């Protein structure tokens, strides 16, 4: 899954989170943000969750008042991209406990950290809710984590 | 999940006071960020927000630069800057502090510092160089979290030329005891591979180690790199196929830890990654594909539950199955799977189904037939995305018969679409279809006019270029040629008289060129009028200078002095002082040439044949200049990619992190060497049989056409082959035996034909029949060798298309009206055929070598052109029948019986000779028709068997056989009169070629009366490959020489050489001799001359020369088209080896 960017924005078109997986100029970023908010917000309910934008596939989904919008390369699997969004929402939910837009507004840096554990370099890195959550919490709580302390955070523990 | 969020999320303002909210527990309500956010939400106007943020930024700026600010405060400040930037306000002053924070903070602070850096800066930002040292330090840290952070930031944005500095440290991490570090290191290397592949080339072996890592997470990460590398070079990784298959098997079998599950589906991301890799490895490779059949089957089977993620897996599975070497039962399951997608009420699944179908119809257009009603519904879908995807699908199934409807639908969409990217893409596709399949001149010109007006100046420049090329090369027939050009002129003049200001520049350029070249064809049009129309364009404000120079060129061609002089004089005076040098030059040319008609005639001869222009694409005329420059000490030229490579290498040597190395944007240089005008058009003709088809639009077949002689370079000719071959395959396709045609249709459209339908339904069905016409027949072509969807030439079409397709079209209509009983009959007939084939398969393979030498044709002409495993049984039929003929057992015997019986009905004088397989032609309740052809030394005999399969006798039976391309003469009396029940009548016809074509066809009718007195008729067609008419032609070298010079029709082509241990020329010629019955006259060194004749005695000579690994073949004959047809068969013959 080669992703180019992920954007979170509100129903009013306010940007809540932006993640760029490839190098892009500020102008390009601004254009994408503008285009995505207008295009996605203009979609009729019950339309499909995919769109074409230039040479990219845009996959978006609305969770309550928040839109999650993922730009992937056009040969990618749209359903899979939709599940990436969903898993991210689940990860946020697990971390914040009943996540809401406000959590993301006030703790956007946490939302970024979670995203960085989940995706890396435009690819899915870790899909397990437990593991992602654990590594975030480890960084949250501990100032210094030594090698031995991290033994707990492996795949083997379920 | 979404429900949970739904419940907790309400409108923003009301939540601000909620302290007990679960989320708000974590946010410090007193924090400055909290205050800022609250402050913003309370504002009502954009202006106020701006003021507030500016104020905030000032405060932040003040604080960050204060020496007393602690790192802890700095962290908080960075978070606020990030927020301001997210709102769209620049906070560039904080960038350097973000780097400082990452450098000096504790882990928690560092984390925010890195985050801020990754959000603020991009790869090419110069401040990033300051980060390199921090990253180096953190990579060596004993704190795992620091290492993780460093690896994360490295994979996000890292200056390309600094990669060597940290590469050893990242590589080292591949051996780290913690899997999370190993995994991140692999992903970081993957990222490096993407942005600077040559820098990680040396660690390919380590990737292998990562692939074998005991931790599945690390292994999964390594697959990203493998997918990339395999995409670039699948052959290098074939040995890994069994490993990938084993991994997938384990994943599908649920052997991974629960952690990898996603909603109870085991590691879906991993599965999909593996399926993609397998697809790449198995493509065009039978033995590799065989390794994966089982696991693919398993994947399909396991993924049968109702969740989005399983659909995602299924989709990849289907794609994989249709990409690798085909296996019929898998294909069938995959097709069924696509059906589930397409018919799903969920719009997302429908979308994906359309996408899958689009991919799959390239291999098997008949699948589109099954879903025609759904496709038509999707065409009218309110969601434009669905509509667009449907057009994409239609684009793939376009043929000469449905082109007008499909293009109309595409143009409709273009009128409502506002997206530039879509417009460019669709316009390209319409242009491609128009060139390939245009039914007539008027339609072609009108469609292209729409394309030019809608596509405007956004469209790919090669569209107008190839259009003009087509126009100038024209057809073989002078009259057609003139008509096309005249029609173009006629349609442009009113456009210019109207409002030319509204037309796009590109269109105006096309118009002025065409008028300049061809307006003389219209006799009632005074050149003076054209000149004044063109001059009007020059005066328009929005005409670009490029357009103006086209106009001036056109005027130069038109001016004749005399009365026109004043206009041209005026124009040239105006522009000869233009600041634009090109315009000025054109104006001067116009001035001089208009005054000197003699010179003009020499410089711009009217009706010059463009093919006579030799263009020296190697620019050899510059050689002297180059060598002089080199002698004078100039540096030799290096293409951009080579320069880049050397640059990278020199970079790689200086590893110092702080060495002076600013980001270099060389990589943006294009890799293409020297760009000659043809290269542009060549590239589009090369798209393989993958899904990436036609993204560039580009019209392939046409442009290549002229290239042949004009450029005459070996490389180009080689590239031309696949296109040529595909183009030829198309020729026979619309012509199909009526029986089969009917069956394809009745099978899939049974519902619509049987039930009376309300009005709108009928409209849809009408649309369906116009959209899907010709598909069934096409399928038999493309699914064989997975050949390309048949680019067809405009020029070929215009003349030869008529009878075959109209016949086919009427057949299509009539067959959709066939009554149910006959449909059943057809199925039965196919059953017979199918079981025949199945039972004979073994026999056939053993006879293969023998049969190839005699080059027999069968009813399905493709059969003998393809590999043994698909031989004889047309997979289109087979797949079809698998449903009906689930138990081939009972049908088996009767099938064989007919075959055996018919053999014995072969006339005695022919029985000793080799004959083609006796192929069923068509059937109905009472009659069964089969045919074969027998090769005699000097003739070809067609034998038609009529079997009365009914229980009653029939009367007044009359068999008539005729052909467009062949001379048909009846040998003995045509069977006629009465036929008793279960008897067989035999007709014999001698065939000779009137007009060569790749496959020639006879069509026939049997009319008869049933005992009840009703008269009936049955139509059939039978195809014979041209090779059946070819015989050796024994001549001496001298005779050959004289003939060679006297023959006027020729063609040249490069063929592949056969390289077994023999000498390649001899080996290739022998193979051709054996397969096509050619006569090798003489072989002299690297050249060989070959001769053959087409029955009765139409000679064709062939001159072969080995050149740069190819066999350059030149064919000559007194008969038009014969060289072209023969070269096609030579190609096929060599390919099938």
């Amino acid at each position: 899954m080669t992703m180019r960017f992920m954007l979170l924005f509100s129903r009013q078109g306010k940007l809540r989170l932006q993640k760029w997986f490839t190098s892009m100029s500020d102008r390009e970023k601004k254009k994408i943000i503008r285009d995505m908010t207008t295009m996605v917000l203009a979609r009729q309910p019950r339309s499909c969750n995919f769109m074409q934008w230039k040479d990219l596939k845009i996959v978006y989904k609305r969770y309550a008042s928040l839109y999650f919008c993922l730009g992937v390369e056009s040969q990618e699997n749209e359903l899979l991209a939709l599940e990436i969004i969903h898993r991210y929402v689940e990860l946020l939910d697990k971390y914040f406990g009943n996540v809401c837009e406000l959590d993301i507004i006030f703790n956007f840096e946490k939302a970024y950290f979670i995203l960085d554990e989940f995706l890396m370099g435009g690819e899915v890195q870790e899909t397990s809710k437990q593991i992602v959550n654990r590594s975030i919490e480890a960084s949250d709580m501990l100032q210094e984590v030594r090698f031995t302390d991290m033994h707990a955070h492996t795949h083997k523990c379920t | 999940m979404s429900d949970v969020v739904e419940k907790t999320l309400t409108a923003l303002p009301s939540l601000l006071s909620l302290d007990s909210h679960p989320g708000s527990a974590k946010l410090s309500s007193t924090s400055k960020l909290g205050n800022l956010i609250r402050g913003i939400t309370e504002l009502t106007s954009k202006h106020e927000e701006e003021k507030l943020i500016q104020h905030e930024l000032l405060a932040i700026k003040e604080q960050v630069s204060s020496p007393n600010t602690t790192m802890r405060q700095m962290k908080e400040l960075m978070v606020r800057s990030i927020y301001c930037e997210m709102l769209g306000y620049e906070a560039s002053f904080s960038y350097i502090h973000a780097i400082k924070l990452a450098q000096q903070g504790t882990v928690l602070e560092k984390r925010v510092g890195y985050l801020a850096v990754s959000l603020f800066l991009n790869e090419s930002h110069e401040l990033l160089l300051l980060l390199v040292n921090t990253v180096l330090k953190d990579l060596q840290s004993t704190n795992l979290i620091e290492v993780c952070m460093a690896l994360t930031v490295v994979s996000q944005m890292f200056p390309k030329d600094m990669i060597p500095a940290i590469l050893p440290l990242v590589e080292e991490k591949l051996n780290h005891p913690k899997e999370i570090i190993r995994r991140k290191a692999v992903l970081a290397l993957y990222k490096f591979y993407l942005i600077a592949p040559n820098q990680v080339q040396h660690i390919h072996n380590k990737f292998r180690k990562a692939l074998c890592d005991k931790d599945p997470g690390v292994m999964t990460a390594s697959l990203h790199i493998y997918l990339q590398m395999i995409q670039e070079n699948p052959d290098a990784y074939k040995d890994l196929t069994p490993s990938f298959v084993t991994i997938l098997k384990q994943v599908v079998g649920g052997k991974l830890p629960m952690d990898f599950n996603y909603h109870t589906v085991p590691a879906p991301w991993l599965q999909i990654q593996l399926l993609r890799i397998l697809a790449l490895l198995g493509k065009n490779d039978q033995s590799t594909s065989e390794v994966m059949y089982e696991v693919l089957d398993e994947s399909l089977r396991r993924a049968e539950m109702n969740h989005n993620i399983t659909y995602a897996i299924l989709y990849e599975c289907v794609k994989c199955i249709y990409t690798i070497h085909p296996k019929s039962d898998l294909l069938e399951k995959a097709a069924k799977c696509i059906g589930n997608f397409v018919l799903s009420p969920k719009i997302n699944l429908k979308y994906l189904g359309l996408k899958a179908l689009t991919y799959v119809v390239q291999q098997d257009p008949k699948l589109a037939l099954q879903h025609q009603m759904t496709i038509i519904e999707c065409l009218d879908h309110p969601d434009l995305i669905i509509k667009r995807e449907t057009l994409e699908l239609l684009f793939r199934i376009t043929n000469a018969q449905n082109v007008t409807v499909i293009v109309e639908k595409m143009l409709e969409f273009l009128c409502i679409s506002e997206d530039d990217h879509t417009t460019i893409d669709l316009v390209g596709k319409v242009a491609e279809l128009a060139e390939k399949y245009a039914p007539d001149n008027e339609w072609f010109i009108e469609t292209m006019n729409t394309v030019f007006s809608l596509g405007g100046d956004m469209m790919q420049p090669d569209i107008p270029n190839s259009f003009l090329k087509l126009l100038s090369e024209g057809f073989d027939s002078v009259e057609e040629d003139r008509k096309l050009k005249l029609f173009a002129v006629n349609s442009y003049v009113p456009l210019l008289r109207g409002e030319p200001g509204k037309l796009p520049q590109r269109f105006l350029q096309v118009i002025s060129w065409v008028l300049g070249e061809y307006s003389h064809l219209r006799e009632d049009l005074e050149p003076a009028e054209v000149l004044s129309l063109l001059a009007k364009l020059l005066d328009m404000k929005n005409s670009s200078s490029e357009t103006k120079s086209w106009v001036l060129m056109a005027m130069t061609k038109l001016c004749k002095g005399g009365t026109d002089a004043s206009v041209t004089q005026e124009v040239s005076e105006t522009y000869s002082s233009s600041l634009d040098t090109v315009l000025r030059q054109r104006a001067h040319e116009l001035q001089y040439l208009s005054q000197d008609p003699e010179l003009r005639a020499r410089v711009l001869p009217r009706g010059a044949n463009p093919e006579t222009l030799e263009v020296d694409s190697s620019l050899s005329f510059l050689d002297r200049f180059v060598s002089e420059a080199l002698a004078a000490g100039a540096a030799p030229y290096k293409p951009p990619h080579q320069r880049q490579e050397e640059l990278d290498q020199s970079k790689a040597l200086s590893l110092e992190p702080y060495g002076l190395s600013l980001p270099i944007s060389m990589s943006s240089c294009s890799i293409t060497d020297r760009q000659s005008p043809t290269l542009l058009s060549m590239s589009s003709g090369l798209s393989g049989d993958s899904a990436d088809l036609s993204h560039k639009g580009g019209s392939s077949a046409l442009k290549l056409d002229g290239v042949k002689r004009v450029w005459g370079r070996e490389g180009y000719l080689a590239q031309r082959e696949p296109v040529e071959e595909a183009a030829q395959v198309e020729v026979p396709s619309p012509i199909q035996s009526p029986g089969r045609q009917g069956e394809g249709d009745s099978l899939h459209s049974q519902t619509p034909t049987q039930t009376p339908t309300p009005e709108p339904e009928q409209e849809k069905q009408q649309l369906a029949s116009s959209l899907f016409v010709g598909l069934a027949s096409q399928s038999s072509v493309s699914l064989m060798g997975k050949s390309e969807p048949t680019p067809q030439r405009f020029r070929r079409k215009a003349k030869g298309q008529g009878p075959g397709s109209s016949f086919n079209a009427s057949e299509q209509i009539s067959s959709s009206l066939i009554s149910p009983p006959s449909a059943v009959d057809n199925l039965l007939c196919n059953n017979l055929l199918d079981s025949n084939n199945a039972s004979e398969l073994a026999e056939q393979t053993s006879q293969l070598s023998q049969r190839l030498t005699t080059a027999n044709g069968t009813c399905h002409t493709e059969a003998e052109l393809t590999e043994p495993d698909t031989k004889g049984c047309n997979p289109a039929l087979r797949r079809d029948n698998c449903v009906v003929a689930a138990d081939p057992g009972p049908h088996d015997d009767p099938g064989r019986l007919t075959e055996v019986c018919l053999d014995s009905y072969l006339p005695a004088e022919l029985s000793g000779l080799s004959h083609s397989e006796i192929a069923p032609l068509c059937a109905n309740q009472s009659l069964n028709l089969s045919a074969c052809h027998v090769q005699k030394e000097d003739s070809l005999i067609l034998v038609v068997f009529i079997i009365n399969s009914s229980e009653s006798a029939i009367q007044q039976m009359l068999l008539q056989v005729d052909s467009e391309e062949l001379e048909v003469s009846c040998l003995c009396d045509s069977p006629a009169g009465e036929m008793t029940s279960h008897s067989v009548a035999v007709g014999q016809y001698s065939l000779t070629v009137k007009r060569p074509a790749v496959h020639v066809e006879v069509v026939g009718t049997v009319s008869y009366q049933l005992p009840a007195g009703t008269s009936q008729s049955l139509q059939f067609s039978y195809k014979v490959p041209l090779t059946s008419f070819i015989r050796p032609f024994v001549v001496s070298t001298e005779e050959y020489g004289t003939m060679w010079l006297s023959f006027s029709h020729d063609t040249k082509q490069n063929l592949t050489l056969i390289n077994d241990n023999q000498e390649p020329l001899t080996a290739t010629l022998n193979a051709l001799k054996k397969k096509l019955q050619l006569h090798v006259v003489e072989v002299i060194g690297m050249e060989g001359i070959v001769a053959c004749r087409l029955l009765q005695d139409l000679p064709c000579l062939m001159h072969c020369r080995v050149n740069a690994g190819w066999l350059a073949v030149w064919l000559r004959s007194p008969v038009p088209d014969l060289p072209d047809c023969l070269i096609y068969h030579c190609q096929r013959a060599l390919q099938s080896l």
Side-chain angles (χ1 to χ4, degrees), chain B residues 418-546:
Chain B
E418 286 161 359
D419 172 42
D420 289 354
H421 191 265
T422 313
T423 307
I424 296 170
D425 186 52
L426 266 185
V427 156
K429 285 181 170 146
V430 171
E432 190 184 333
L433 292 180
E435 283 181 11
K436 268 195 216 162
Y437 302 117
D440 56 56
N441 292 337
E442 284 80 1
W443 184 88
F444 178 64
I445 297 288
E446 272 160 15
T447 307
M448 288 310 283
N449 284 355
T450 324
V451 163
F452 289 135
S453 335
L454 287 174
D457 294 317
M458 293 180 293
M459 67 184 162
Q460 304 279 1
D462 57 343
I463 297 175
N465 287 349
S466 65
F467 173 71
L468 294 182
K469 197 152 188 272
L470 174 86
L471 218 54
S472 63
E473 279 168 1
F475 309 105
D476 296 338
S477 131
V478 180
E479 184 51 28
E480 276 293 302
D481 217 11
R482 205 184 67 83
K483 274 190 195 155
L484 179 68
K485 288 166 181 165
L486 187 60
F487 195 84
V489 172
N490 282 341
S491 76
Y492 294 158
V493 172
L495 284 176
L496 287 194
R497 282 183 186 145
E499 284 186 86
K502 285 185 177 166
L503 301 177
Q505 300 297 310
R506 286 263 176 72
F507 195 14
L508 290 177
Q509 290 162 14
V510 167
I511 292 178
S512 28
W513 189 87
V514 170
L515 290 183
E517 289 282 331
Y518 304 119
S519 63
H520 64 89
L521 291 174
R522 187 168 151 182
E523 276 142 17
D524 61 332
L525 192 64
E526 285 298 318
E529 197 197 339
V530 182
L531 278 177
S532 71
L533 283 174
L534 289 171
K536 229 169 68 188
L537 296 181
L538 289 175
D539 296 336
M540 281 180 346
K541 271 208 191 74
N542 48 3
S543 292
S544 68
S545 59
E546 197 191 346

Side-chain angles (χ1 to χ4, degrees), chain B residues 295-462:
Chain B
V295 74
L296 289 176
D297 194 45
E298 172 96 2
S299 293
L300 273 184
R301 207 159 42 77
R302 292 260 184 173
E304 271 177 21
M305 51 168 282
N306 217 1
H307 190 280
N308 263 350
I309 198 84
T310 51
Y311 284 115
I313 296 173
L314 280 177
Y315 171 77
E316 293 295 333
C317 239
V318 167
K319 258 181 94 171
C320 180
I321 287 170
Y322 269 94
T323 309
I324 63 172
H325 188 89
K327 183 173 189 245
S328 59
D329 68 317
L330 275 181
L331 288 175
E332 215 179 287
K333 284 178 189 167
K336 220 172 108 195
C337 198
I338 294 176
N340 290 341
F341 274 91
V342 177
L343 297 174
S344 165
K346 287 186 185 161
I347 187 159
N348 286 343
L349 293 186
K350 205 180 262 303
Y351 171 89
L352 219 63
L354 284 172
K355 223 176 116 172
L357 211 51
T358 308
Y359 185 78
V360 159
V361 287
Q362 293 169 63
Q363 265 86 16
D364 185 2
K366 270 210 343 207
L367 271 175
L369 276 178
Q370 290 177 13
H371 301 294
Q372 43 181 316
M373 279 302 146
T374 321
I375 292 173
I376 283 168
E377 271 161 29
C378 289
L379 205 53
D380 286 329
H381 204 280
D383 193 343
L384 285 188
I385 309 298
I386 300 281
K387 221 170 167 163
R388 174 79 185 75
E389 207 56 42
T390 317
L391 288 177
E392 194 69 37
L393 170 62
L394 291 179
F395 170 69
R396 302 291 161 95
I397 58 166
T398 310
N399 56 35
Q401 291 140 47
N402 59 16
V403 64
T404 46
V405 194
I406 290 180
V407 164
E408 190 192 313
K409 290 282 166 198
M410 285 175 143
L411 292 177
E412 264 171 32
F413 187 86
L414 270 175
C415 293
I416 51 169
S417 157
E418 286 161 359
D419 172 42
D420 289 354
H421 191 265
T422 313
T423 307
I424 296 170
D425 186 52
L426 266 185
V427 156
K429 285 181 170 146
V430 171
E432 190 184 333
L433 292 180
E435 283 181 11
K436 268 195 216 162
Y437 302 117
D440 56 56
N441 292 337
E442 284 80 1
W443 184 88
F444 178 64
I445 297 288
E446 272 160 15
T447 307
M448 288 310 283
N449 284 355
T450 324
V451 163
F452 289 135
S453 335
L454 287 174
D457 294 317
M458 293 180 293
M459 67 184 162
Q460 304 279 1
D462 57 343

Side-chain angles (χ1 to χ4, degrees), chain A residues 6 15-16 28 30 36 39 41 43 50 54 65-66 77 86 89-91 93-94 104 120 125 131 144 146 156:
Chain A
M6 184 186 242
L15 190 64
R16 296 300 179 209
E28 281 175 288
K30 284 225 164 79
M36 286 311 113
M39 275 171 75
L41 293 175
R43 295 284 286 169
F50 318 128
K54 299 208 168 156
S65 59
L66 209 53
N77 186 326
H86 190 71
V89 175
E90 287 179 331
L91 289 170
D93 192 55
K94 172 113 183 155
I104 294 166
M120 185 169 164
Q125 183 199 182
I131 292 173
E144 293 281 304
R146 292 283 151 206
K156 276 123 218 160

Side-chain angles (χ1 to χ4, degrees), chain A residues 1-2 14-26 29-30 43 46-52 54-55 57 63-66 74-80 82-84 86-87 89-90 93 95-103 105-110 112-113 116-118 120-121 123-128 130-131 135-136 138-140 142-147 150-151 153-158, chain B residues 1-2 4-6 8-9 12 15-16 21-24 26-27 33-34 37-38 49 79 82-83 85-88 106-108 111-112 115 118-119 122-124 142-146 151-152 155-156 176-180 183-184 187-188 190-191 215 217 224 257-263 269 272-273 276 307-309 311-313 315-316 319 341 347-349 351-352 355 383 385-386 389 419 421 695:
Chain A
M1 176 63 54
T2 321
K14 285 237 186 269
L15 190 64
R16 296 300 179 209
L17 185 139
Q18 52 175 332
K19 185 83 197 171
W20 309 92
F21 297 107
T22 50
S23 186
M24 249 180 265
S25 72
D26 287 342
K29 289 181 185 173
K30 284 225 164 79
R43 295 284 286 169
R46 254 176 279 229
S47 308
C48 77
N49 293 73
F50 318 128
M51 289 185 303
Q52 182 85 35
K54 299 208 168 156
D55 57 339
K57 269 277 146 59
Y63 287 89
S65 59
L66 209 53
S74 58
Q75 78 276 7
E76 283 299 342
N77 186 326
E78 290 88 349
L79 279 183
L80 194 65
L82 209 53
E83 294 311 297
I84 287 180
H86 190 71
R87 176 45 47 125
V89 175
E90 287 179 331
D93 192 55
Y95 180 79
F96 288 107
N98 278 351
V99 67
C100 72
E101 190 183 345
L102 279 187
D103 291 325
I105 296 172
F106 285 95
N107 299 289
F108 63 86
E109 80 275 20
K110 296 276 167 27
Y112 277 115
F113 296 145
D116 282 342
E117 271 316 301
F118 174 41
M120 185 169 164
E123 299 285 348
V124 172
Q125 183 199 182
E126 175 59 74
T127 53
S128 159
Q130 284 78 14
I131 292 173
S135 20
I136 297 292
S139 333
D140 276 354
L142 299 165
Q143 293 289 313
E144 293 281 304
V145 182
R146 292 283 151 206
F147 174 64
M150 283 249 314
H151 263 310
H153 314 287
T154 65
H155 287 132
K156 276 123 218 160
C157 55
T158 47
Chain B
M1 170 63 227
S2 62
V4 178
V5 185
E6 198 88 51
T8 51
L9 266 171
L12 198 57
L15 269 169
L16 292 170
H21 188 270
S24 60
K26 280 184 194 133
L27 58 93
L33 175 71
I37 295 169
R38 272 189 204 102
E49 180 191 295
V79 172
I82 296 175
Y83 193 80
E85 281 240 329
M86 185 156 67
L87 291 177
T106 60
V107 178
L108 274 184
R111 190 163 68 150
V112 173
L115 174 68
S118 72
L119 288 170
N122 64 24
E123 239 162 55
S124 50
T142 49
N143 186 330
L144 284 185
I145 291 181
E146 278 178 350
L151 286 172
T152 305
S155 77
Q156 261 166 17
H176 200 277
K178 289 303 302 171
E179 55 275 342
I180 186 167
R183 196 177 61 207
K184 282 185 198 271
L187 281 170
Y190 164 66
K191 191 71 191 187
D215 179 71
H224 298 309
M258 290 290 281
D259 263 341
F260 288 89
N261 282 7
Y262 176 79
H263 294 262
W269 279 274
I272 284 171
Q273 198 79 351
R276 285 184 186 164
H307 190 280
N308 263 350
I309 198 84
Y311 284 115
I313 296 173
Y315 171 77
E316 293 295 333
K319 258 181 94 171
F341 274 91
I347 187 159
N348 286 343
L349 293 186
Y351 171 89
L352 219 63
K355 223 176 116 172
D383 193 343
I385 309 298
I386 300 281
E389 207 56 42
D419 172 42
H421 191 265
H695 216 65

Side-chain angles (χ1 to χ4, degrees), chain B residues 675-689:
Chain B
Q675 278 255 356
S676 75
T678 36
L679 264 180
L680 249 177
S681 43
M682 292 312 284
S683 59
S684 52
L686 294 175
S687 37
D689 46 347

Side-chain angles (χ1 to χ4, degrees), chain B residues 961-977:
Chain B
V961 180
D962 196 15
S963 169
E964 279 284 311
E965 303 95 352
L966 298 172
E967 197 81 58
V968 182
S969 52
C970 193
L971 279 183
C972 42
D973 286 336
S974 201

